[in-house]
Amino acid sequence: MINSIWNKTIPAGGKWSGTIGKGKLVKFTALGKGANLSTIMYHANQLTERYNMPDTLKAQHTSHLTKGHVLMSDNGRVLTSIVEDSLGWHDSISGYTSRKETDEKYGITTYQELRNNWLRSGEENFAVELVRNGLGVRDIVPVLNLFSKVFCDENGDMHYVEDHCQEGATVTLRTEMDTLFIFSNTPNPLDPRNEYPSVPIQIEVFNAEPVKDDDVCVNFRPENRRAFENTWEYHTLLSDSKSVVLK
Amino acid sequence: MAVLNYTESSRKVEEAIYDRVIPSGEGWMHELEPGQVLRIVDLEGNQAADTLFYHAEDPEDHYSAVATMLGQKNIYLSTGTVLRSESNKELLKIVADTCGRHDTLGGACSAQSNTVRYAHDTLPMHNCRDTFMLQLSKYDERYTKRDLAPNINFFMNVPVTSDGGLTFADGVSAPGRYVEVQSIVKTVALISNCPQLNNPCNAYNPTPVRVLIWDK
Protein backbone atom coordinates (compact mmCIF):
# COMPACT_ATOMS: atom_id res chain seq x y z
CA MET A 1 0.00 0.00 0.00
CA ILE A 2 1.43 3.32 -1.08
CA ASN A 3 1.30 6.01 1.57
CA SER A 4 -0.61 9.17 0.85
CA ILE A 5 1.44 12.38 0.56
CA TRP A 6 -1.31 14.35 2.33
CA ASN A 7 -4.58 13.65 4.03
CA LYS A 8 -7.33 15.60 5.70
CA THR A 9 -10.67 14.73 7.22
CA ILE A 10 -13.45 17.23 6.62
CA PRO A 11 -15.98 17.03 9.45
CA ALA A 12 -19.72 17.32 8.87
CA GLY A 13 -20.47 20.91 7.92
CA GLY A 14 -16.80 21.57 7.25
CA LYS A 15 -15.12 23.14 4.26
CA TRP A 16 -11.69 23.25 2.63
CA SER A 17 -10.13 24.94 -0.35
CA GLY A 18 -6.73 24.55 -1.93
CA THR A 19 -4.82 23.79 -5.08
CA ILE A 20 -3.80 20.25 -5.95
CA GLY A 21 -1.28 20.08 -8.77
CA LYS A 22 -1.75 17.93 -11.86
CA GLY A 23 -0.82 14.29 -11.75
CA LYS A 24 -2.23 13.48 -8.32
CA LEU A 25 -4.86 11.03 -7.15
CA VAL A 26 -7.41 12.50 -4.77
CA LYS A 27 -9.24 9.73 -2.91
CA PHE A 28 -12.41 10.48 -0.99
CA THR A 29 -13.77 8.08 1.64
CA ALA A 30 -17.18 8.43 3.31
CA LEU A 31 -16.65 7.69 7.01
CA GLY A 32 -20.36 6.99 7.45
CA LYS A 33 -23.46 6.35 5.38
CA GLY A 34 -25.36 9.10 3.57
CA ALA A 35 -22.38 11.37 2.85
CA ASN A 36 -22.42 14.31 0.44
CA LEU A 37 -19.41 16.43 -0.50
CA SER A 38 -20.30 19.48 -2.60
CA THR A 39 -17.32 20.35 -4.77
CA ILE A 40 -16.40 23.06 -7.27
CA MET A 41 -13.20 23.02 -9.29
CA TYR A 42 -11.36 25.91 -10.93
CA HIS A 43 -8.22 25.93 -13.07
CA ALA A 44 -5.73 27.12 -10.46
CA ASN A 45 -3.69 29.18 -12.94
CA GLN A 46 -6.65 30.78 -14.71
CA LEU A 47 -9.56 31.09 -12.32
CA THR A 48 -12.12 32.12 -14.93
CA GLU A 49 -11.83 28.57 -16.27
CA ARG A 50 -13.98 26.30 -14.13
CA TYR A 51 -15.89 23.04 -13.95
CA ASN A 52 -18.79 23.11 -16.38
CA MET A 53 -21.67 20.75 -15.63
CA PRO A 54 -23.49 21.02 -19.00
CA ASP A 55 -20.31 20.57 -21.06
CA THR A 56 -19.33 17.58 -18.91
CA LEU A 57 -22.70 15.85 -19.09
CA LYS A 58 -23.57 16.44 -22.73
CA ALA A 59 -20.12 15.50 -24.07
CA GLN A 60 -20.37 12.14 -22.30
CA HIS A 61 -24.13 11.68 -22.90
CA THR A 62 -24.73 11.16 -19.21
CA SER A 63 -26.63 12.71 -16.33
CA HIS A 64 -24.61 10.91 -13.66
CA LEU A 65 -20.87 10.58 -13.06
CA THR A 66 -18.74 7.52 -12.33
CA LYS A 67 -15.47 5.78 -13.26
CA GLY A 68 -14.38 6.60 -16.81
CA HIS A 69 -16.07 9.98 -16.86
CA VAL A 70 -14.04 13.17 -16.83
CA LEU A 71 -14.93 16.53 -15.30
CA MET A 72 -14.48 19.17 -17.96
CA SER A 73 -13.82 22.87 -17.77
CA ASP A 74 -15.70 25.44 -19.83
CA ASN A 75 -12.61 25.57 -22.06
CA GLY A 76 -13.01 22.00 -23.30
CA ARG A 77 -10.25 20.61 -21.10
CA VAL A 78 -10.18 17.90 -18.45
CA LEU A 79 -9.73 19.29 -14.94
CA THR A 80 -10.01 15.89 -13.26
CA SER A 81 -10.98 12.32 -14.19
CA ILE A 82 -12.82 9.72 -12.16
CA VAL A 83 -10.39 6.79 -12.07
CA GLU A 84 -11.94 4.69 -9.30
CA ASP A 85 -15.44 4.58 -7.86
CA SER A 86 -17.14 2.12 -5.50
CA LEU A 87 -20.57 3.72 -5.89
CA GLY A 88 -21.34 4.02 -9.62
CA TRP A 89 -23.15 7.34 -9.36
CA HIS A 90 -22.23 10.84 -8.26
CA ASP A 91 -24.51 13.80 -8.77
CA SER A 92 -24.02 17.13 -10.50
CA ILE A 93 -27.56 18.44 -10.96
CA SER A 94 -28.80 19.12 -7.44
CA GLY A 95 -26.60 21.95 -6.17
CA TYR A 96 -25.77 22.93 -2.59
CA THR A 97 -27.81 23.83 0.47
CA SER A 98 -28.58 27.46 1.24
CA ARG A 99 -28.65 29.07 4.69
CA LYS A 100 -32.42 29.40 4.42
CA GLU A 101 -32.96 25.72 3.53
CA THR A 102 -30.60 24.64 6.31
CA ASP A 103 -32.59 26.63 8.89
CA GLU A 104 -35.93 25.44 7.56
CA LYS A 105 -34.99 21.78 7.41
CA TYR A 106 -32.79 21.26 10.47
CA GLY A 107 -34.05 24.07 12.70
CA ILE A 108 -32.53 27.46 13.36
CA THR A 109 -29.14 27.19 15.02
CA THR A 110 -26.86 29.96 16.22
CA TYR A 111 -23.23 30.37 17.15
CA GLN A 112 -24.24 31.90 20.50
CA GLU A 113 -26.14 28.78 21.42
CA LEU A 114 -24.06 26.03 19.83
CA ARG A 115 -20.56 27.46 19.27
CA ASN A 116 -18.88 25.24 16.66
CA ASN A 117 -21.91 23.02 16.35
CA TRP A 118 -23.70 25.89 14.60
CA LEU A 119 -24.91 24.17 11.42
CA ARG A 120 -23.23 25.37 8.25
CA SER A 121 -24.68 25.72 4.76
CA GLY A 122 -23.09 25.08 1.38
CA GLU A 123 -23.97 28.62 0.34
CA GLU A 124 -21.93 30.18 3.14
CA ASN A 125 -19.07 27.68 2.94
CA PHE A 126 -18.66 28.39 -0.78
CA ALA A 127 -18.96 32.16 -0.28
CA VAL A 128 -16.17 32.16 2.31
CA GLU A 129 -13.78 29.96 0.34
CA LEU A 130 -14.47 31.78 -2.95
CA VAL A 131 -13.68 35.13 -1.36
CA ARG A 132 -10.58 33.62 0.26
CA ASN A 133 -9.35 32.70 -3.22
CA GLY A 134 -10.05 36.08 -4.79
CA LEU A 135 -13.36 35.01 -6.30
CA GLY A 136 -16.93 35.73 -5.26
CA VAL A 137 -20.44 34.35 -5.28
CA ARG A 138 -20.81 35.27 -8.99
CA ASP A 139 -18.27 32.49 -9.63
CA ILE A 140 -20.52 29.77 -8.23
CA VAL A 141 -21.45 27.22 -10.88
CA PRO A 142 -23.31 23.89 -10.63
CA VAL A 143 -21.39 21.74 -8.18
CA LEU A 144 -20.34 18.13 -8.13
CA ASN A 145 -22.00 16.27 -5.24
CA LEU A 146 -19.73 13.32 -4.50
CA PHE A 147 -21.49 10.30 -2.88
CA SER A 148 -25.02 11.43 -3.84
CA LYS A 149 -27.42 9.83 -6.30
CA VAL A 150 -30.20 11.93 -7.80
CA PHE A 151 -32.09 10.48 -10.75
CA CYS A 152 -34.91 11.85 -12.90
CA ASP A 153 -38.04 9.92 -13.80
CA GLU A 154 -39.70 10.14 -17.22
CA ASN A 155 -41.55 13.31 -16.21
CA GLY A 156 -38.29 14.97 -15.21
CA ASP A 157 -38.99 14.81 -11.47
CA MET A 158 -35.79 14.61 -9.40
CA HIS A 159 -35.38 11.80 -6.83
CA TYR A 160 -32.68 11.48 -4.16
CA VAL A 161 -31.72 7.88 -3.32
CA GLU A 162 -31.41 7.57 0.47
CA ASP A 163 -29.49 4.31 0.82
CA HIS A 164 -26.97 5.01 -1.96
CA CYS A 165 -23.82 5.84 0.01
CA GLN A 166 -22.68 3.30 2.59
CA GLU A 167 -19.90 3.75 5.15
CA GLY A 168 -16.52 3.23 3.52
CA ALA A 169 -17.63 4.21 -0.01
CA THR A 170 -14.76 5.67 -2.02
CA VAL A 171 -14.20 7.66 -5.19
CA THR A 172 -10.88 8.77 -6.65
CA LEU A 173 -10.24 11.74 -8.92
CA ARG A 174 -7.03 12.20 -10.90
CA THR A 175 -5.99 15.81 -11.46
CA GLU A 176 -5.21 16.49 -15.12
CA MET A 177 -4.56 20.21 -14.54
CA ASP A 178 -3.50 22.24 -11.50
CA THR A 179 -6.90 22.46 -9.85
CA LEU A 180 -8.29 24.70 -7.14
CA PHE A 181 -10.83 22.63 -5.23
CA ILE A 182 -13.49 24.01 -2.93
CA PHE A 183 -15.18 21.38 -0.77
CA SER A 184 -18.24 21.81 1.41
CA ASN A 185 -19.31 18.82 3.52
CA THR A 186 -22.92 19.94 3.68
CA PRO A 187 -26.13 18.03 2.93
CA ASN A 188 -27.51 17.41 -0.54
CA PRO A 189 -30.49 19.77 -0.93
CA LEU A 190 -32.71 16.85 -1.95
CA ASP A 191 -31.77 14.62 1.01
CA PRO A 192 -35.19 14.31 2.72
CA ARG A 193 -33.84 13.42 6.18
CA ASN A 194 -34.48 16.20 8.67
CA GLU A 195 -31.49 15.31 10.82
CA TYR A 196 -28.27 17.07 9.73
CA PRO A 197 -25.92 14.35 8.44
CA SER A 198 -22.85 13.96 10.60
CA VAL A 199 -20.60 12.12 8.17
CA PRO A 200 -16.91 13.10 8.03
CA ILE A 201 -15.14 12.62 4.71
CA GLN A 202 -11.50 11.62 4.46
CA ILE A 203 -9.42 13.02 1.62
CA GLU A 204 -6.08 11.42 0.73
CA VAL A 205 -3.71 12.59 -2.01
CA PHE A 206 -1.27 10.27 -3.79
CA ASN A 207 1.11 10.73 -6.70
CA ALA A 208 -0.51 9.31 -9.85
CA GLU A 209 1.16 7.11 -12.44
CA PRO A 210 1.54 8.81 -15.84
CA VAL A 211 -1.56 8.47 -18.03
CA LYS A 212 -1.15 5.39 -20.23
CA ASP A 213 -2.48 4.68 -23.74
CA ASP A 214 -5.13 2.31 -22.41
CA ASP A 215 -6.35 4.72 -19.72
CA VAL A 216 -10.01 4.12 -18.92
CA CYS A 217 -10.89 7.83 -18.87
CA VAL A 218 -9.02 8.77 -22.07
CA ASN A 219 -10.66 5.88 -23.92
CA PHE A 220 -14.14 6.11 -22.43
CA ARG A 221 -15.52 8.01 -25.43
CA PRO A 222 -13.92 9.83 -28.40
CA GLU A 223 -15.11 13.05 -26.77
CA ASN A 224 -12.98 12.27 -23.71
CA ARG A 225 -9.87 11.78 -25.84
CA ARG A 226 -10.40 15.11 -27.59
CA ALA A 227 -10.82 16.85 -24.21
CA PHE A 228 -7.54 15.23 -23.08
CA GLU A 229 -5.89 16.40 -26.32
CA ASN A 230 -7.02 19.96 -25.53
CA THR A 231 -5.52 19.56 -22.04
CA TRP A 232 -2.22 18.19 -23.35
CA GLU A 233 -2.08 21.05 -25.88
CA TYR A 234 -2.38 23.53 -23.02
CA HIS A 235 0.51 21.90 -21.16
CA THR A 236 2.64 21.68 -24.32
CA LEU A 237 2.29 25.40 -24.95
CA LEU A 238 3.00 26.22 -21.30
CA SER A 239 6.12 24.11 -20.87
CA ASP A 240 9.59 24.08 -22.43
CA SER A 241 8.67 20.84 -24.10
CA LYS A 242 11.00 19.83 -26.91
CA SER A 243 7.99 19.02 -29.04
CA VAL A 244 7.44 22.74 -29.57
CA VAL A 245 9.89 23.99 -32.19
CA LEU A 246 9.84 27.60 -33.31
CA LYS A 247 11.82 28.39 -36.45
CA MET B 1 -42.15 11.08 -23.28
CA ALA B 2 -43.25 13.11 -20.32
CA VAL B 3 -46.39 15.18 -20.51
CA LEU B 4 -45.98 18.49 -22.23
CA ASN B 5 -47.41 21.60 -20.67
CA TYR B 6 -49.01 23.71 -23.41
CA THR B 7 -50.41 27.10 -22.42
CA GLU B 8 -51.41 29.68 -24.99
CA SER B 9 -51.15 33.41 -24.41
CA SER B 10 -53.91 35.98 -24.87
CA ARG B 11 -51.41 38.77 -25.63
CA LYS B 12 -51.90 40.40 -29.01
CA VAL B 13 -48.95 41.06 -31.29
CA GLU B 14 -50.22 44.52 -32.21
CA GLU B 15 -50.12 45.55 -28.55
CA ALA B 16 -46.45 44.66 -28.07
CA ILE B 17 -44.14 47.58 -27.30
CA TYR B 18 -41.13 45.87 -28.88
CA ASP B 19 -40.87 43.48 -31.80
CA ARG B 20 -37.80 42.29 -33.64
CA VAL B 21 -36.29 39.26 -35.28
CA ILE B 22 -32.97 37.86 -34.09
CA PRO B 23 -31.42 36.22 -37.17
CA SER B 24 -29.73 32.86 -36.64
CA GLY B 25 -26.25 33.14 -35.20
CA GLU B 26 -26.83 36.59 -33.71
CA GLY B 27 -27.23 37.83 -30.14
CA TRP B 28 -29.52 40.16 -28.22
CA MET B 29 -29.30 41.71 -24.75
CA HIS B 30 -32.14 43.76 -23.34
CA GLU B 31 -33.49 44.98 -20.02
CA LEU B 32 -36.95 43.94 -18.80
CA GLU B 33 -38.89 46.01 -16.26
CA PRO B 34 -40.81 44.21 -13.49
CA GLY B 35 -44.10 42.97 -14.96
CA GLN B 36 -42.94 43.09 -18.58
CA VAL B 37 -43.43 39.96 -20.64
CA LEU B 38 -40.90 38.67 -23.16
CA ARG B 39 -42.15 36.27 -25.84
CA ILE B 40 -39.62 34.28 -27.85
CA VAL B 41 -41.05 32.75 -31.03
CA ASP B 42 -39.43 29.78 -32.75
CA LEU B 43 -40.27 31.06 -36.26
CA GLU B 44 -39.27 28.00 -38.29
CA GLY B 45 -39.14 25.28 -35.62
CA ASN B 46 -36.54 23.37 -33.59
CA GLN B 47 -34.25 26.35 -33.21
CA ALA B 48 -32.35 26.72 -29.92
CA ALA B 49 -32.65 30.11 -28.22
CA ASP B 50 -29.81 29.97 -25.67
CA THR B 51 -30.87 32.37 -22.94
CA LEU B 52 -29.47 33.78 -19.70
CA PHE B 53 -31.02 36.24 -17.28
CA TYR B 54 -29.44 38.56 -14.73
CA HIS B 55 -30.83 40.60 -11.86
CA ALA B 56 -30.39 44.07 -13.46
CA GLU B 57 -29.55 45.75 -10.18
CA ASP B 58 -27.23 42.94 -9.07
CA PRO B 59 -25.66 41.55 -12.26
CA GLU B 60 -23.47 39.17 -10.27
CA ASP B 61 -26.61 37.27 -9.32
CA HIS B 62 -27.02 35.31 -12.54
CA TYR B 63 -29.72 32.86 -13.57
CA SER B 64 -29.17 29.48 -11.95
CA ALA B 65 -30.20 26.31 -13.75
CA VAL B 66 -29.78 24.29 -10.55
CA ALA B 67 -31.76 26.70 -8.32
CA THR B 68 -34.51 26.72 -10.96
CA MET B 69 -34.65 22.91 -11.15
CA LEU B 70 -34.49 22.53 -7.36
CA GLY B 71 -37.27 25.08 -6.91
CA GLN B 72 -39.66 22.74 -8.71
CA LYS B 73 -37.78 19.44 -8.15
CA ASN B 74 -38.03 18.89 -11.89
CA ILE B 75 -35.48 19.43 -14.65
CA TYR B 76 -37.77 20.58 -17.47
CA LEU B 77 -38.99 24.15 -17.87
CA SER B 78 -42.53 25.06 -18.92
CA THR B 79 -45.51 27.19 -17.88
CA GLY B 80 -45.36 27.88 -14.15
CA THR B 81 -41.59 27.46 -13.85
CA VAL B 82 -40.01 30.20 -11.77
CA LEU B 83 -36.59 31.15 -13.14
CA ARG B 84 -34.36 31.66 -10.12
CA SER B 85 -31.01 33.33 -9.53
CA GLU B 86 -27.99 31.79 -7.87
CA SER B 87 -29.06 33.36 -4.56
CA ASN B 88 -32.51 31.83 -5.12
CA LYS B 89 -34.29 35.10 -5.94
CA GLU B 90 -37.28 34.82 -8.24
CA LEU B 91 -36.23 36.55 -11.47
CA LEU B 92 -38.97 35.64 -13.94
CA LYS B 93 -41.81 33.20 -14.42
CA ILE B 94 -42.85 31.28 -17.53
CA VAL B 95 -46.45 32.40 -18.17
CA ALA B 96 -47.17 30.80 -21.54
CA ASP B 97 -45.63 28.01 -23.57
CA THR B 98 -46.84 26.38 -26.77
CA CYS B 99 -43.75 24.18 -27.07
CA GLY B 100 -44.33 22.38 -23.77
CA ARG B 101 -40.80 21.69 -22.59
CA HIS B 102 -37.46 23.49 -22.52
CA ASP B 103 -33.99 22.39 -21.47
CA THR B 104 -31.65 23.88 -18.90
CA LEU B 105 -29.13 21.04 -18.50
CA GLY B 106 -27.47 21.16 -21.92
CA GLY B 107 -25.79 24.55 -21.67
CA ALA B 108 -24.48 26.60 -24.57
CA CYS B 109 -22.15 25.50 -27.33
CA SER B 110 -18.66 26.99 -27.36
CA ALA B 111 -15.68 26.75 -29.69
CA GLN B 112 -13.97 24.55 -27.12
CA SER B 113 -16.92 22.27 -26.37
CA ASN B 114 -17.43 21.86 -30.12
CA THR B 115 -13.88 20.50 -30.40
CA VAL B 116 -14.73 17.98 -27.69
CA ARG B 117 -18.17 16.97 -28.96
CA TYR B 118 -17.52 16.93 -32.71
CA ALA B 119 -13.96 17.44 -33.99
CA HIS B 120 -10.92 19.67 -33.44
CA ASP B 121 -11.46 21.39 -36.78
CA THR B 122 -14.76 22.90 -35.55
CA LEU B 123 -12.79 25.40 -33.43
CA PRO B 124 -13.28 28.37 -35.82
CA MET B 125 -17.05 27.91 -36.11
CA HIS B 126 -19.55 30.39 -34.71
CA ASN B 127 -20.94 29.36 -31.33
CA CYS B 128 -23.24 30.57 -28.56
CA ARG B 129 -20.64 31.35 -25.93
CA ASP B 130 -18.80 33.66 -28.34
CA THR B 131 -22.12 35.38 -29.05
CA PHE B 132 -22.78 35.73 -25.31
CA MET B 133 -19.33 37.24 -24.72
CA LEU B 134 -19.67 39.67 -27.63
CA GLN B 135 -23.04 40.83 -26.29
CA LEU B 136 -21.68 41.18 -22.74
CA SER B 137 -18.70 43.20 -24.00
CA LYS B 138 -20.97 45.64 -25.82
CA TYR B 139 -23.59 45.96 -23.08
CA ASP B 140 -21.88 46.87 -19.85
CA GLU B 141 -18.35 46.37 -18.59
CA ARG B 142 -19.68 44.95 -15.34
CA TYR B 143 -20.43 41.71 -17.17
CA THR B 144 -17.57 39.27 -17.85
CA LYS B 145 -17.07 35.61 -18.68
CA ARG B 146 -17.42 34.90 -14.95
CA ASP B 147 -21.12 35.69 -15.36
CA LEU B 148 -21.69 32.98 -17.98
CA ALA B 149 -23.53 30.42 -15.90
CA PRO B 150 -25.33 27.47 -17.50
CA ASN B 151 -28.27 28.80 -19.49
CA ILE B 152 -31.73 27.88 -20.72
CA ASN B 153 -32.16 26.30 -24.14
CA PHE B 154 -35.64 27.38 -25.13
CA PHE B 155 -37.23 24.94 -27.61
CA MET B 156 -34.61 22.23 -27.01
CA ASN B 157 -35.48 18.74 -25.85
CA VAL B 158 -32.77 17.06 -23.74
CA PRO B 159 -34.34 14.02 -22.08
CA VAL B 160 -32.68 12.47 -19.05
CA THR B 161 -33.34 8.80 -18.34
CA SER B 162 -33.81 7.24 -14.91
CA ASP B 163 -30.68 5.11 -15.42
CA GLY B 164 -28.55 8.24 -15.77
CA GLY B 165 -28.44 8.78 -19.53
CA LEU B 166 -28.78 12.07 -21.35
CA THR B 167 -29.71 12.45 -24.99
CA PHE B 168 -30.39 15.17 -27.51
CA ALA B 169 -33.74 14.15 -28.88
CA ASP B 170 -35.66 15.49 -31.84
CA GLY B 171 -37.28 18.75 -30.93
CA VAL B 172 -40.81 19.02 -29.64
CA SER B 173 -41.04 22.50 -31.12
CA ALA B 174 -42.48 23.52 -34.49
CA PRO B 175 -42.81 26.69 -36.58
CA GLY B 176 -44.55 29.44 -34.61
CA ARG B 177 -44.26 27.80 -31.19
CA TYR B 178 -43.44 30.31 -28.45
CA VAL B 179 -42.63 30.78 -24.81
CA GLU B 180 -43.42 33.80 -22.62
CA VAL B 181 -41.55 34.87 -19.49
CA GLN B 182 -42.74 37.61 -17.16
CA SER B 183 -40.13 39.56 -15.26
CA ILE B 184 -40.64 39.64 -11.48
CA VAL B 185 -37.78 42.04 -10.75
CA LYS B 186 -35.84 44.23 -13.19
CA THR B 187 -33.85 41.74 -15.25
CA VAL B 188 -31.50 41.66 -18.21
CA ALA B 189 -32.09 39.01 -20.86
CA LEU B 190 -29.20 37.69 -22.94
CA ILE B 191 -29.98 35.53 -25.97
CA SER B 192 -27.74 33.74 -28.43
CA ASN B 193 -29.73 32.44 -31.36
CA CYS B 194 -27.71 29.26 -31.72
CA PRO B 195 -25.44 28.94 -34.79
CA GLN B 196 -24.69 25.24 -34.22
CA LEU B 197 -24.09 23.45 -37.56
CA ASN B 198 -22.92 20.09 -36.16
CA ASN B 199 -26.06 18.91 -34.39
CA PRO B 200 -28.98 17.20 -36.12
CA CYS B 201 -31.50 18.55 -33.59
CA ASN B 202 -31.95 21.72 -35.67
CA ALA B 203 -31.63 19.81 -38.97
CA TYR B 204 -28.22 21.53 -39.40
CA ASN B 205 -30.10 24.68 -40.31
CA PRO B 206 -30.19 27.48 -37.72
CA THR B 207 -33.19 29.76 -38.24
CA PRO B 208 -34.41 33.11 -36.85
CA VAL B 209 -36.36 33.69 -33.66
CA ARG B 210 -38.62 36.67 -32.93
CA VAL B 211 -38.72 38.55 -29.64
CA LEU B 212 -41.69 40.65 -28.52
CA ILE B 213 -42.20 42.57 -25.28
CA TRP B 214 -45.43 43.65 -23.61
CA ASP B 215 -45.73 45.98 -20.64
CA LYS B 216 -47.79 43.41 -18.74
Side-chain angles (χ1 to χ4, degrees), chain A residues 33-46:
Chain A
K33 62 179 183 179
N36 181 72
L37 187 68
S38 295
T39 302
I40 322 185
M41 291 165 287
Y42 300 82
H43 178 192
N45 307 321
Q46 189 176 314

Side-chain angles (χ1 to χ4, degrees), chain A residues 48 63 96 138-139 157 229, chain B residues 74 86 120 145-147 164:
Chain A
T48 59
S63 58
Y96 54 89
R138 73 196 288 195
D139 297 290
D157 289 333
E229 286 164 354
Chain B
N74 186 289
E86 192 63 44
H120 287 298
K145 173 174 175 285
R146 296 166 66 189
D147 303 304

Side-chain angles (χ1 to χ4, degrees), chain A residues 49-75:
Chain A
E49 179 175 5
R50 63 274 312 262
Y51 170 62
N52 189 294
M53 175 271 280
D55 286 3
T56 295
L57 298 185
K58 71 185 172 189
Q60 298 171 101
H61 297 247
T62 187
S63 58
H64 74 297
L65 295 161
T66 184
K67 181 177 177 176
H69 289 132
V70 298
L71 304 166
M72 295 180 194
S73 79
D74 62 287
N75 273 341

Side-chain angles (χ1 to χ4, degrees), chain A residues 13-24:
Chain A
K15 58 187 172 56
W16 186 86
S17 71
T19 297
I20 301 178
K22 75 180 170 85
K24 303 278 192 283

Side-chain angles (χ1 to χ4, degrees), chain B:
Chain B
M1 173 67 74
V3 287
L4 298 175
N5 187 3
Y6 300 99
T7 312
E8 290 186 14
S9 167
S10 58
R11 290 178 185 84
K12 296 183 173 65
V13 168
E14 56 273 21
E15 291 172 5
I17 60 161
Y18 183 98
D19 181 359
R20 65 157 284 202
V21 169
I22 308 173
S24 63
E26 296 195 16
W28 182 78
M29 197 166 182
H30 196 92
E31 195 166 273
L32 296 170
E33 295 292 332
Q36 285 190 334
V37 173
L38 168 68
R39 178 188 293 182
I40 307 170
V41 187
D42 185 4
L43 290 173
E44 299 183 28
N46 291 331
Q47 175 60 11
D50 287 51
T51 306
L52 270 169
F53 294 102
Y54 300 91
H55 194 308
E57 280 149 8
D58 185 8
E60 299 191 3
D61 202 14
H62 50 70
Y63 166 77
S64 167
V66 169
T68 297
M69 294 188 297
L70 275 181
Q72 60 182 15
K73 294 188 169 58
N74 186 289
I75 60 168
Y76 303 123
L77 277 45
S78 188
T79 312
T81 297
V82 175
L83 307 178
R84 294 171 185 274
S85 73
E86 192 63 44
S87 74
N88 212 25
K89 288 193 183 72
E90 297 187 352
L91 296 179
L92 310 97
K93 186 173 182 178
I94 300 181
V95 293
D97 178 13
T98 63
C99 177
R101 172 193 276 192
H102 308 269
D103 161 68
T104 196
L105 272 182
C109 61
S110 72
Q112 291 74 24
S113 75
N114 281 345
T115 69
V116 172
R117 292 190 65 202
Y118 305 110
H120 287 298
D121 66 7
T122 62
L123 188 70
M125 296 176 75
H126 292 286
N127 62 82
C128 283
R129 238 171 286 170
D130 281 7
T131 303
F132 280 155
M133 289 189 281
L134 182 60
Q135 289 295 317
L136 292 177
S137 73
K138 288 177 178 174
Y139 188 80
D140 184 333
E141 64 186 15
R142 288 181 301 174
Y143 292 93
T144 74
K145 173 174 175 285
R146 296 166 66 189
D147 303 304
L148 289 185
N151 54 288
I152 301 167
N153 291 306
F154 285 120
F155 312 116
M156 281 294 104
N157 185 23
V158 183
V160 167
T161 56
S162 59
D163 63 355
L166 177 144
T167 51
F168 287 80
D170 287 341
V172 291
S173 190
R177 298 280 173 96
Y178 60 81
V179 60
E180 285 185 0
V181 290
Q182 184 160 34
S183 212
I184 296 169
V185 293
K186 186 187 275 195
T187 56
V188 174
L190 170 60
I191 295 178
S192 165
N193 189 9
C194 184
Q196 183 58 263
L197 290 171
N198 300 288
N199 193 326
C201 66
N202 62 2
Y204 306 103
N205 180 32
T207 51
V209 298
R210 181 181 181 188
V211 284
L212 302 105
I213 298 172
W214 286 265
D215 262 335
K216 58 183 180 181

Side-chain angles (χ1 to χ4, degrees), chain A:
Chain A
M1 183 66 194
I2 301 161
N3 290 327
S4 63
I5 59 171
W6 180 89
N7 70 80
K8 181 77 75 184
T9 297
I10 305 185
K15 58 187 172 56
W16 186 86
S17 71
T19 297
I20 301 178
K22 75 180 170 85
K24 303 278 192 283
L25 298 175
V26 188
K27 181 180 182 183
F28 303 84
T29 305
L31 301 181
K33 62 179 183 179
N36 181 72
L37 187 68
S38 295
T39 302
I40 322 185
M41 291 165 287
Y42 300 82
H43 178 192
N45 307 321
Q46 189 176 314
L47 293 172
T48 59
E49 179 175 5
R50 63 274 312 262
Y51 170 62
N52 189 294
M53 175 271 280
D55 286 3
T56 295
L57 298 185
K58 71 185 172 189
Q60 298 171 101
H61 297 247
T62 187
S63 58
H64 74 297
L65 295 161
T66 184
K67 181 177 177 176
H69 289 132
V70 298
L71 304 166
M72 295 180 194
S73 79
D74 62 287
N75 273 341
R77 299 171 182 138
V78 183
L79 284 170
T80 61
S81 349
I82 305 177
V83 293
E84 291 296 340
D85 179 23
S86 76
L87 277 175
W89 190 305
H90 302 269
D91 162 70
S92 193
I93 64 172
S94 63
Y96 54 89
T97 44
S98 67
R99 177 78 258 164
K100 185 166 174 281
E101 287 161 348
T102 304
D103 288 346
E104 285 171 359
K105 196 173 198 173
Y106 307 108
I108 294 173
T109 56
T110 63
Y111 174 77
Q112 297 78 37
E113 185 191 358
L114 295 171
R115 298 303 192 210
N116 279 322
N117 291 326
W118 180 25
L119 298 182
R120 298 187 197 239
S121 68
E123 179 182 22
E124 291 166 316
N125 279 351
F126 282 124
V128 171
E129 295 306 315
L130 283 164
V131 171
R132 185 192 310 290
N133 287 284
L135 297 167
V137 291
R138 73 196 288 195
D139 297 290
I140 295 182
V141 290
V143 305
L144 173 66
N145 279 319
L146 293 173
F147 302 111
S148 281
K149 178 173 182 175
V150 172
F151 73 92
C152 300
D153 64 26
E154 62 172 15
N155 293 320
D157 289 333
M158 302 167 80
H159 301 276
Y160 175 89
V161 178
E162 281 195 52
D163 58 357
H164 178 61
C165 172
Q166 299 302 314
E167 181 174 351
T170 62
V171 56
T172 304
L173 303 181
R174 185 178 60 209
T175 49
E176 311 296 351
M177 303 183 77
D178 296 346
T179 303
L180 169 65
F181 290 89
I182 303 184
F183 300 122
S184 175
N185 186 358
T186 42
N188 187 293
L190 294 175
D191 184 341
R193 287 169 287 202
N194 55 16
E195 189 173 333
Y196 197 89
S198 57
V199 184
I201 291 164
Q202 184 185 49
I203 304 176
E204 299 165 277
V205 174
F206 305 84
N207 287 314
E209 296 286 317
V211 176
K212 297 191 178 74
D213 285 346
D214 63 349
D215 185 78
V216 62
C217 295
V218 175
N219 294 288
F220 192 75
R221 291 184 64 96
E223 288 89 339
N224 292 31
R225 177 174 291 279
R226 288 194 289 270
F228 271 97
E229 286 164 354
N230 289 342
T231 314
W232 298 332
E233 177 187 53
Y234 168 80
H235 286 124
T236 299
L237 292 172
L238 199 65
S239 72
D240 298 324
S241 167
K242 286 171 186 161
S243 62
V244 180
V245 180
L246 293 173
K247 290 180 180 172

